[in-house]
C-alpha cells in the first residue's frame, strides 16, 4: 500500500504529532502522502515520522502565523490545540493561538494550495473560562 500513498492526494495535518493527529496520520498514511506539523522535535518523534513515511514541518502558532510547507494538498486537517493544562493557565493565549492556527490554514486555502479545510478542535472541551478544566 505504500506505493499507493504516493499517488493519492496529499494531506496536511496541522497538529499531526498530537494525540489525535498522530493516530489520524498513521491511518491516512496507508493510502495518502501525509505531512504533519509539530511544535517541537524529539528523537522519538523523528523516528516515528520516519517509520511511518510521513513528512514533518515545524509550526507553532504561538511563534509563527505561517505554516511553511511545500506542495499542494487535497485537504488540510486542523487539529492544532494547546493542552487542557495550558488552557486552564491562560485561556486567552490559548484562544489566540488557536485562531492563529486557523488563519495559517486559511492562508494556504487562499493561496490555492489546498482544496479544503477540515477543522476540528478540542477547544470546546475547555469552555469559555467559566468551567473547571481537568488536566
Amino acid at each position: 500500500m505504500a506505493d499507493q500513498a504516493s499517488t493519492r492526494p496529499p494531506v496536511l495535518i496541522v497538529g499531526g504529532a498530537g494525540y489525535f493527529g498522530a493516530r489520524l496520520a498513521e491511518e491516512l498514511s496507508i493510502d495518502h502522502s501525509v505531512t504533519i506539523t509539530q511544535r517541537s522535535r524529539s528523537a522519538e518523534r523523528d523516528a516515528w515520522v520516519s517509520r511511518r513515511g510521513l513528512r514533518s514541518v515545524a509550526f507553532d502558532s504561538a511563534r509563527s502565523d505561517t505554516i511553511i510547507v511545500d506542495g499542494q494538498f487535497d485537504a488540510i486537517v486542523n487539529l492544532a490545540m494547546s493542552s487542557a493544562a495550558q488552557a486552564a493557565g491562560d485561556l486567552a493565549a490559548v484562544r489566540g493561538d488557536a485562531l492563529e492556527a486557523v488563519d495559517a490554514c486559511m492562508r494556504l486555502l487562499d493561496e490555492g494550495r489546498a482544496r479544503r479545510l477540515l477543522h476540528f478542535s478540542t477547544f470546546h472541551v475547555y469552555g469559555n473560562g467559566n468551567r473547571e478544566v481537568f488536566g
Side-chain angles (χ1 to χ4, degrees):
M1 288 197 197
D3 291 336
Q4 276 185 322
S6 62
T7 62
R8 299 288 178 116
V11 176
L12 171 64
I13 304 175
V14 180
Y19 182 81
F20 294 112
R23 282 143 185 86
L24 180 62
E26 287 181 357
E27 189 64 30
L28 287 176
S29 71
I30 295 169
D31 292 321
H32 298 268
S33 171
V34 176
T35 300
I36 64 165
T37 69
Q38 54 183 344
R39 286 185 194 157
S40 59
R41 294 182 59 186
S42 68
E44 293 82 13
R45 278 194 181 141
D46 288 348
W48 171 75
V49 165
S50 179
R51 275 194 316 274
R52 289 295 179 182
L54 305 172
R55 189 168 70 124
S56 172
V57 296
F59 175 67
D60 182 349
S61 60
R63 293 187 174 93
S64 174
D65 63 357
T66 304
I67 302 170
I68 300 178
V69 63
D70 295 328
Q72 300 282 124
F73 300 94
D74 183 55
I76 301 168
V77 180
N78 182 20
L79 297 169
M81 191 64 226
S82 301
S83 70
Q86 290 168 315
D90 190 349
L91 186 62
V94 167
R95 183 177 289 128
D97 292 348
L99 292 173
E100 288 294 333
V102 171
D103 284 346
C105 292
M106 294 300 293
R107 271 193 287 288
L108 291 174
L109 286 173
D110 290 344
E111 293 169 6
R113 308 241 340 264
R115 286 189 37 216
R116 60 187 139 195
L117 169 63
L118 304 162
H119 175 78
F120 298 94
S121 174
T122 54
F123 195 77
H124 64 280
V125 173
Y126 305 148
N128 62 6
N130 297 325
R131 298 180 190 162
E132 185 173 351
V133 177
F134 300 95

